[in-house]
Amino acid sequence: MINIFKDILKELRIEKNLTQDDLAKALNVTTGTIGNYELGARLPKDDKMWIKLSQFFNVPIDYLMDSDNSFLSYGGSDSSKKNELIKKINNSNLT
């Protein structure tokens, strides 16, 4: 089975025994936002959310973004933007 962002997010959330509401509160977004991610209706719009998700679940950003070529949907046409985002994550102090 091909893992895609929406499935990976749901799997990670369930592994932590969290509801969509729990995750939304932890990330300071609405439950609807998490629901839309898990339905595949939308992807995180900005770097900060990708970073928050990566850090919250303690997984590499590549695991979240490359899972279904989500990065291409996010706006990356080559590896330079992804590498820039990975640099931000490595230098980030977000918790």
Side-chain angles (χ1 to χ4, degrees):
M1 179 179 176
I2 297 173
N3 289 328
I4 54 176
F5 173 71
K6 67 184 186 85
D7 295 327
I8 288 173
L9 180 62
K10 186 173 183 176
E11 180 180 307
L12 290 169
R13 177 180 60 77
I14 290 170
E15 283 176 7
K16 284 194 171 244
N17 294 315
L18 298 172
T19 64
Q20 286 183 350
D21 190 52
D22 294 334
L23 180 57
K25 286 177 183 172
L27 298 175
N28 198 30
V29 297
T30 66
T31 303
T33 296
I34 301 301
N36 281 326
Y37 291 165
E38 290 187 3
L39 288 173
R42 71 196 286 204
L43 291 169
K45 291 181 184 177
D46 60 28
D47 295 349
K48 287 182 182 182
M49 182 53 66
W50 286 108
I51 292 168
K52 282 183 179 182
L53 287 165
S54 174
Q55 291 181 338
F56 182 82
F57 290 113
N58 195 29
V59 297
I61 195 78
D62 283 350
Y63 181 70
L64 296 170
M65 292 184 125
D66 285 345
S67 58
D68 68 340
N69 297 318
S70 292
F71 188 72
L72 297 176
S73 300
Y74 173 68
S77 59
D78 59 35
S79 63
S80 64
K81 185 160 174 68
K82 183 172 76 174
N83 289 339
E84 180 183 321
L85 180 56
I86 291 169
K87 248 186 196 177
K88 283 184 183 182
I89 291 167
N90 290 336
N91 295 325
S92 174
N93 292 323
L94 293 176
T95 56

